[in-house]
Amino acid sequence: SQGQVGQFAGPTRHKGIGDDAAREIEETLGLSPYELDLPAILLGAAAAEERAPYFSDATFQAYTKGKIPVVGVIAAGAAMEVIDLYQPGVAEEWIDAPKQNYTPGSFILRLSGFSMEPRFWSDDRVMIEPALAWAAGDYVFAKRPSLGDGTFKKLIEEDGRLFLFALNPEFSPRYIEVTPDWHIVGKATYRLDKL
């Protein structure tokens, strides 16, 4: 409505657009989903020329206020550091955090495969919080930086040794010992269930 537009674009603006309005504007204008969330630098040179100038040192608000990235296991495993998940092009999407007080570096991991069935299924999304302490019994995301891969498993301890454990008895290998070439990125704190 005209009044709503005046609230976030008028001379006396006092309100942000918000996610729902942004998605509606994108759909109405034929833009890609979340295109309004991206700085012009991410849209490509041709698209950037058609848009207003931007400042390369700007921080886009949607990335810092309650939004966290969703990444697949391969992208998360290949990231050299957890913070790399926040770089443009790595995240598949940005969504509202499932809790208000999430820790720095948190991300949503989109699972693939059947190793954790029946507790977790392919395409389930879990929140990984690298800043939290983990212990045996936690569900964790671990990666091998040397190979750029990663896996989501239950962390178990036996005889003082840590293992990444696949819940599905049909999956092989079911146990992976956490050797020095493995790095536990963080533990899972939430699962975002789909209805």
Side-chain angles (χ1 to χ4, degrees):
S1 71
Q2 186 175 1
Q4 185 179 17
V5 171
Q7 289 177 354
F8 58 74
T12 59
R13 60 181 174 251
H14 61 277
K15 181 179 177 182
I17 291 178
D19 287 342
D20 292 340
R23 303 298 79 84
E24 187 175 336
I25 291 169
E26 289 162 347
E27 185 176 336
T28 302
L29 296 178
L31 302 173
S32 301
Y34 300 98
E35 188 168 337
L36 291 178
D37 292 357
L38 299 174
I41 192 171
L42 302 180
L43 298 175
E49 288 176 7
E50 298 173 7
R51 289 176 166 74
Y54 62 89
F55 296 97
S56 61
D57 62 345
T59 299
F60 196 74
Q61 187 175 14
Y63 293 172
T64 58
K65 296 201 92 173
K67 297 280 189 183
I68 56 177
V70 178
V71 295
V73 170
I74 299 302
M80 293 305 292
E81 298 291 338
V82 175
I83 196 66
D84 287 351
L85 300 172
Y86 287 91
Q87 297 304 314
V90 176
E92 298 170 4
E93 62 180 310
W94 292 79
I95 64 172
D96 292 325
K99 66 175 189 171
Q100 288 183 346
N101 297 322
Y102 60 93
T103 56
S106 297
F107 60 97
I108 302 295
L109 182 68
R110 186 178 49 80
L111 306 179
S112 60
F114 63 96
S115 68
M116 296 299 285
E117 293 177 5
R119 177 76 168 91
F120 299 94
W121 299 85
S122 191
D123 210 34
D124 275 355
R125 296 170 183 212
V126 293
M127 183 170 182
I128 304 294
E129 295 197 67
L132 297 181
W134 45 263
D138 289 336
Y139 294 100
V140 298
F141 174 67
K143 68 177 183 177
R144 283 186 293 192
S146 60
L147 297 179
D149 62 348
T151 188
F152 177 76
K153 299 285 186 283
K154 184 171 186 175
L155 186 66
I156 63 170
E157 184 176 5
E158 188 172 310
D159 296 329
R161 296 162 48 199
L162 291 175
F163 294 88
L164 300 169
F165 175 63
L167 299 180
N168 188 341
E170 303 295 320
F171 186 80
S172 180
R174 195 158 185 208
Y175 296 88
I176 302 171
E177 186 169 5
V178 181
T179 56
D181 59 329
W182 281 98
H183 169 69
I184 297 177
V185 174
K187 75 174 185 176
T189 55
Y190 281 83
R191 181 175 65 192
L192 287 69
D193 289 322
K194 298 184 292 295
L195 299 177

